């Protein structure tokens, strides 16, 4: 049975949607405020989350941002009429769809079906999506984002980041990275790893003012999950 989380502070709406979803055969849990919503989203395993934006405690955009650090669970945002900015930030942050309140329940049910179907057809590619400290790396689409913001990388930078994230929290020596990314038969400057780490830092750490790629002196590099 597919399980849906509803995060919505208007309890009447939440209960109404819950009834309809149960009637359609879904299992449902709900939260009436942002904190509880985030807690459930992070601890439970859901097939889809319906997420209101204006919530007491933590707002829906922030909840989505935090969910996306570690999960690709499909999220449909519930937005107030004409809240164009909310829709834009929601989609930027990785929402799968949004629906404007007040909505017709049939439309919501249709969007849920479409989103779930789309997600299950994507699922064979799922293992190619890696996450670390706000970074999402999708090898099948060759895309990297930091908290939903696209990061443009060259092929080598991408491969290096991929090698580091695949082994997150494990210190990778320069030689291992060289073999992994440039191959055993690489002939060239041995400091190429350091050069490319520098490029990655410019595009990620410096750009977003974070510290994701750490140097371990005399050993190599590591990316740490925060
Ligand atoms: Ca609300």
């Amino acid at each position: 049975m597919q399980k849906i989380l509803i995060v919505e502070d208007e309890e009447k709406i939440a209960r109404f949607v819950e009834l309809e979803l149960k009637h359609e055969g879904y299992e449902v849990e709900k939260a009436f405020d942002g904190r509880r919503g985030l807690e459930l989203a992070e601890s439970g395993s859901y097939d889809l989350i319906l997420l209101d934006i204006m919530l007491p405690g933590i707002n829906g955009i922030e909840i989505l941002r935090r969910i996306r650090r570690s999960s690709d669970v499909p999220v449909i945002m519930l937005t107030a009429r004409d809240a164009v900015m909310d829709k834009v930030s929601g989609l930027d942050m990785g929402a799968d769809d949004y629906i404007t309140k007040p909505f017709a329940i049939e439309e919501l049910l249709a969007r849920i079906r479409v989103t779930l179907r789309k997600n299950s057809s994507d699922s064979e590619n799922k293992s190619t999506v890696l996450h670390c400290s706000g970074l999402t790396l999708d090898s099948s689409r060759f895309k990297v984002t930091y908290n939903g913001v696209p990061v443009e990388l060259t092929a080598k930078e991408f491969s290096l980041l991929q090698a580091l994230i695949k082994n997150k929290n494990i210190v990778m020596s320069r030689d291992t990275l060289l073999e992994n990314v440039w191959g055993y038969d690489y002939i060239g400057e041995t400091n190429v790893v350091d050069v490319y780490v520098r490029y990655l830092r410019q595009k990620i750490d410096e750009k977003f003012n974070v510290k994701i790629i750490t140097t371990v002196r005399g050993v190599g590099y590591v990316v740490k999950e925060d």
Side-chain angles (χ1 to χ4, degrees), residues 7-10 52-56 78 101:
V7 187
E8 166 63 86
D9 60 313
E10 287 166 79
D52 185 26
I53 291 186
M54 296 295 285
L55 288 165
L78 306 175
K101 293 193 282 190

Side-chain angles (χ1 to χ4, degrees), residues 7 31-42 55-59 63 66:
V7 187
F32 298 134
D33 66 79
R35 262 171 229 294
R36 180 72 183 143
L38 181 62
E39 196 179 290
L40 286 174
E42 285 183 330
L55 288 165
I58 308 171
N59 73 50
I63 293 177
R66 297 206 205 170

Side-chain angles (χ1 to χ4, degrees), residues 189-207:
E189 295 296 322
T190 48
N191 71 344
V192 68
V193 174
D194 307 273
V195 171
Y196 275 82
V197 164
R198 199 151 66 233
Y199 295 156
L200 282 179
R201 281 189 171 139
Q202 282 163 4
K203 292 184 175 182
I204 299 167
D205 296 40
E206 289 169 27
K207 182 163 181 224

Side-chain angles (χ1 to χ4, degrees), residues 45-186:
S45 84
Y46 300 97
D47 296 290
L48 187 139
I49 298 176
L50 289 177
L51 184 56
D52 185 26
I53 291 186
M54 296 295 285
L55 288 165
I58 308 171
N59 73 50
I61 300 283
E62 177 62 16
I63 293 177
L64 178 62
R65 197 177 70 78
R66 297 206 205 170
I67 292 173
R68 280 287 173 265
R69 285 179 181 176
S70 58
S71 164
D72 286 324
V73 61
V75 174
I76 298 178
M77 307 295 289
L78 306 175
T79 69
R81 191 194 288 274
D82 297 332
V84 177
M85 273 319 291
D86 286 349
K87 288 169 198 166
V88 172
S89 359
L91 292 173
D92 278 351
M93 283 293 169
D96 295 80
D97 200 357
Y98 62 85
I99 191 162
T100 306
K101 293 193 282 190
F103 48 79
I105 191 70
E106 290 309 328
E107 187 187 353
L108 179 64
L109 293 173
R111 282 171 186 262
I112 289 173
R113 280 194 297 272
V114 169
T115 305
L116 285 170
R117 205 181 308 134
K118 185 172 165 291
N119 198 261
S120 71
S121 68
D122 285 350
S123 63
E124 69 250 36
N125 296 328
K126 265 203 153 163
S127 59
T128 63
V129 177
L130 303 171
H131 297 279
C132 182
S133 300
L135 281 173
T136 300
L137 186 143
D138 183 340
S139 350
S140 62
R141 289 187 292 166
F142 199 75
K143 270 178 64 177
V144 175
T145 56
Y146 178 75
N147 283 343
V149 182
V151 180
E152 299 293 335
L153 297 181
T154 65
K156 274 284 173 278
E157 291 163 359
F158 188 94
S159 306
L160 178 60
L161 184 64
Q162 186 176 36
L164 286 164
I165 294 184
K166 266 189 185 163
N167 298 283
K168 63 184 174 188
N169 300 321
I170 301 169
V171 181
M172 304 281 284
S173 72
R174 285 175 179 80
D175 286 346
T176 307
L177 287 169
L178 200 61
E179 284 171 13
N180 264 279
V181 179
W182 281 268
Y184 287 96
D185 51 0
Y186 174 79

